Amino acid sequence: MQFMLLFSRQGKLRLQKWYAPLSDTQKKKISREVIQMVLARKPKMCSFLEWRDLKIVYKRYASLYFCCAVEDQENELITLEIIHRYVELLDKYFGSVCELDIIFNFEKAYYILDEFILGGEAQETSKKTVLKAIEQADMLQEEAETPRSVLEEIGLT
Amino acid sequence: MPAPIRLRELIRTIRTARTQAEEREMIQKEFIVEFGTNAIHSLSEYNHFYSSMIQPVKSDLNHSTQYVQGLALCTLGCMGSSEMCRDLAGEVEKLLKTSNSYLRKKAALCAVHVIRKVPELMEMFLPATKNLLSEKNHGVLHTSVVLLTEMCERSPDMLSHFRKLVPQLVRILKNLIMSGYSPEHDVSGISDPFLQVRILRLLRILGKGDDDSSEAMNDILAQVATNTETSKNVGNAILYETVLTIMDIKSESGLRVLAINILGRFLLNNDKNIRYVALTSLLKTVQTDHNAVQRHRSTIDKVTREKALSFALVNGNNIRGMMKELLYFLDSCDPDFKADCASGIFLAAEKYAPSKRWHIDTIMRVLTTAGSYVRDDSVPNLIQLITNSVEMHAYTVQRLYKALLDDISQQPLVQVASWCIGEYGDLLVSGQCEEEEPIQVSEDEVLDVLEGLLVSNLSTPVTRGYSLTAIMKLSTRFSSMNRIKKVVSIYGSSIDVELQQRAVEYNALFKKYDHMRPALLERMPIMEKTATNGPAEIVQTNGETDSTILDTKHLPSITQPASQANDLLDLLGGNDVVPVIQITVPTKPASAGGELLDLLGDLSLTGGPTPTPAPSVTLSQHPFLLDGLASQPLFNDIAPGIPPMTAYNKNGLKIEFTFERANPNPNIAVITIHATNSTEADMTEFVFQAAVPKTFQLQLLSPSSNVVPALNQGSVTQVIRVLNPQKQQLRMRVKLTYTHKGSPVQDLAEVNNFPPQSWQ
């Protein structure tokens, strides 16, 4: 995968993950182009687009478009499954996920994505394992937020 | 403070960030502060992480907490620069051998990234791959297969080295299929489809070109192909991958048939995504595997009939890719299908062409490769298309000319080419092509080619007709008139009646009607189509400027109609007159020639400001103006007995009327006005208007120009057609306006001296 974009029906970008080195201006340009292209699609059209030398695979879930750009030799149908898996992970984590969840907890959305996909490829095919890893990360953060005594801080207790 | 707490602090502060930019800033700041590095100006995303980050990331990779290590691997694997990859490859390699599956899977993908960035480092990961496939953990398995795939794709040595893994891969795949329900990896009843697809892909690479490996995987492929549940997308994803693998390796014929059948079923699937992938792979298959496919003719016949779907699935975004496949298919498919395929390609190209040049190129490709199979009705459609692609004329005619030099056997190609050369021969000779290197060709060479078509045995009579007409058109575009005249006169005694008739008429054009010749043979205006397969309507527009005019059936500027109509009405005493709308846009008189063909229906131009378009010509058999001229000879029934008359002569402006009768309808009189100016100054913005009594109908076509040059140096001609069903005496009111020596002039006159033959 080269990149993944999440955007609303109004074209607002909610999440962008890039797996290729590109400058900010390039990313902006690409995002704009791809968003425009996908938003212009009619409901009856298929979920695949050819764009430059990549394939754009997209699917709409409620008010959000999930859009992946994959290389030419990738299996488009399994990419749809990847997108679906990511949505399932979000859904399990947030409990009936909606766009607002992603807007207000975007760092979590990125964490989940980073535990599922690394360098453009899926690193874990088990939903349970991904969610467990996120859970552990959450626990670590919670621990950090609980107040500690001065002694604990310097490591004496 | 131990690192994890620092990290937690970091995470906490990040969580307070409201925007991604803020977050990023914080991360950057924290890295600088926490991990104590030298002054860093900025961390631009493009550079990802500066080399000074290597040390901290390195230490993180060695951290005691797997979470931190994981983060570091993620960072490196997603965004590491080649420098970073080089430095940290060793750490990654170490982690690739760890027993911690959480880290091992990340390390594997990190290694993939390192290899992509720095391919020379691939070797160092080889030892670590030894036991990768013995893992039980699916995450590690999946990422390991990805790593192995990457290595095999990049190095033939690696590929041969890893071939020995085929049995192991087959086993893993088998377990996935045969094992019962595994809740952790289940997707709609299928166990870990992601891993299955990845394994199938690796098998494809390993089995390609290798008999033993291909044989070893035969059974499992058959099993997957037959046992996979197809009700959901996930099953189809696996089947799709399986089909691709079967077609790529040295599989036995039974397996291939299985694969083609799967594709066939896909084509009938309700899900358009499935149909899409089926078509793309099927076309690839047929292209590369023609023989294998031929052996299963009955299956394929059914499938290729489904090909009609492919044209329905083509859309604006996939057109380029799809067209490549379709063109390959056209090349290699059965002759029976070629005509259908060609027509389909033209339709698809027309609907979704991303650019005019692409469109022309596609047409050229079809004509040159399957030219003899192209349907007859494609020729007029193509010609219309070319006419409308104004900016591509030079390019198109050049390419077609070159194609003719190669091969004159394919009639549709030859016909389109002749037509284009006739129209745009001047562009060809002047070497104006912008799109590609203009070729040097002389008028004589072009005429050689066209004459060659006339005499060639390969040319059908229709083709000969096209060439002769093309030669004739060139008489206004080339300077070698004598040669053309000679050719035309020779064919006046041709055995072919059609050719003979044309030649005779063209001869007449040279001799008697030379004044009309330039007008008749002028460039075609843009044509508008009513429907893709329907007859073409010719709408008069200012051809050269703007192809968007196609969208409007109305002429751009009808400036004065209303008031003038009223004027004339007043003049002629109210109700017994039907004024005529003067079309003020001086368009090319080519249309004047064309409209001579007009059928009766379009003559009822009544008063009022409706912007009437130029009379539309509905073409039945011959969509070409000049061809139409040929089949409906215009000049056959010239009434030589009708003398011309002077309708108006005042203040140096003289207007003469000449008469013809339009066959086949004797009720229509065609009057051509010739306006000349004997004064020393030009008459500009010259507008001629006419009104006739109510029982008549009058149609005024566009003038040749609206400047009457001084001192009789030229004339403005305009054609009037009068329908006189009741055969009443013709009379007319004319109104003339023009600017002379800076001041506007207006005059009205009555014309009553029409010779009786003009209306009897």
Side-chain angles (χ1 to χ4, degrees), chain B residues 423-434:
Chain B
E423 273 292 302
Y424 312 118
D426 51 332
L427 296 177
L428 181 62
V429 171
S430 65
Q432 277 181 27
C433 184
E434 272 170 23

Side-chain angles (χ1 to χ4, degrees), chain B residues 75-128:
Chain B
T75 306
L76 182 59
C78 290
M79 301 189 292
S81 63
S82 16
E83 198 186 335
M84 264 189 108
C85 287
R86 239 181 261 274
D87 276 357
L88 297 171
E91 308 298 324
V92 175
E93 199 259 340
K94 254 195 323 201
L95 286 170
L96 196 49
K97 297 190 275 214
T98 177
S99 52
N100 181 335
S101 45
Y102 177 78
L103 291 176
R104 205 170 181 199
K105 71 188 186 200
K106 290 185 192 270
L109 288 182
C110 224
V112 171
H113 181 81
V114 169
I115 292 173
R116 284 178 183 161
K117 281 286 193 185
V118 192
E120 309 88 72
L121 293 175
M122 187 163 41
E123 290 283 337
M124 74 182 282
F125 294 107
L126 188 52

Side-chain angles (χ1 to χ4, degrees), chain B residues 104 138-139 153 163 250 252 283 291 368 403 423 498 540 550 554 595 604 633 642 650 682 708 742:
Chain B
R104 205 170 181 199
H138 281 227
E153 275 174 345
R163 276 222 174 89
K250 292 180 164 265
E252 46 171 65
L283 290 167
N291 294 326
T368 48
E423 273 292 302
E498 171 78 9
Q540 182 176 333
L550 270 182
H554 305 294
E595 278 115 36
S604 50
I642 306 181
K650 215 159 124 183
D682 289 346
V708 192

Side-chain angles (χ1 to χ4, degrees), chain A residues 14-19 21-24 26-27 37 41 43-50 73-78 80-82 85 105-108 110-111 114-115 118-119 121-129 133 136-137 140-141 143-145 148 153, chain B residues 5 8 11-12 15 17-20 23 45-46 48 66-67 73-74 77-78 102 105-106 109-110 116-117 137-139 142-143 146 153 184-187 192-195 197-198 201 233-234 236-237 240-241 272-274 276-277 315 317-318 320-322:
Chain A
R14 298 295 179 209
L15 191 145
Q16 47 179 314
K17 187 74 189 185
W18 301 84
Y19 297 108
L22 292 164
S23 69
D24 266 351
Q26 284 173 312
K27 287 184 191 171
M37 263 196 319
R41 302 278 282 178
K44 289 212 168 159
M45 295 176 160
C46 72
S47 302
F48 315 127
L49 272 174
E50 278 164 41
Q73 67 267 35
E74 288 291 327
N75 181 330
E76 297 97 321
L77 299 179
I78 207 75
L80 279 175
E81 290 301 318
I82 299 253
R85 172 55 64 90
N105 300 284
F106 62 85
E107 79 281 7
K108 269 284 169 282
Y110 277 108
Y111 276 144
D114 283 342
E115 282 297 324
L118 198 157
E121 308 282 352
Q123 62 183 281
E124 183 54 67
T125 55
S126 155
K127 240 191 298 189
K128 197 173 91 182
T129 312
Q136 283 179 347
L140 279 176
Q141 285 165 28
E143 259 179 65
E145 281 162 23
R148 289 162 136 254
E153 287 275 319
Chain B
I5 297 178
R8 279 178 240 148
I11 294 163
R12 200 171 5 129
R15 293 202 69 169
R18 297 230 175 82
T19 63
Q20 292 184 17
E23 178 191 76
E45 227 143 312
Y46 186 70
H48 298 133
Q66 71 169 26
Y67 180 63
L73 282 169
C74 182
C78 290
Y102 177 78
K105 71 188 186 200
K106 290 185 192 270
L109 288 182
C110 224
R116 284 178 183 161
K117 281 286 193 185
N137 180 293
H138 281 227
H142 186 275
T143 56
V146 174
E153 275 174 345
E184 199 176 335
H185 302 287
D186 180 86
V187 180
D192 207 339
F194 304 107
L195 183 55
V197 165
R198 260 354 283 238
R201 191 158 141 190
N233 179 63
V234 60
N236 289 321
Y240 176 42
E241 198 72 37
K272 47 189 131 40
N273 294 335
I274 310 278
Y276 175 90
V277 301
N315 60 45
N317 293 306
N318 63 19
R320 281 188 202 261
M322 280 295 262

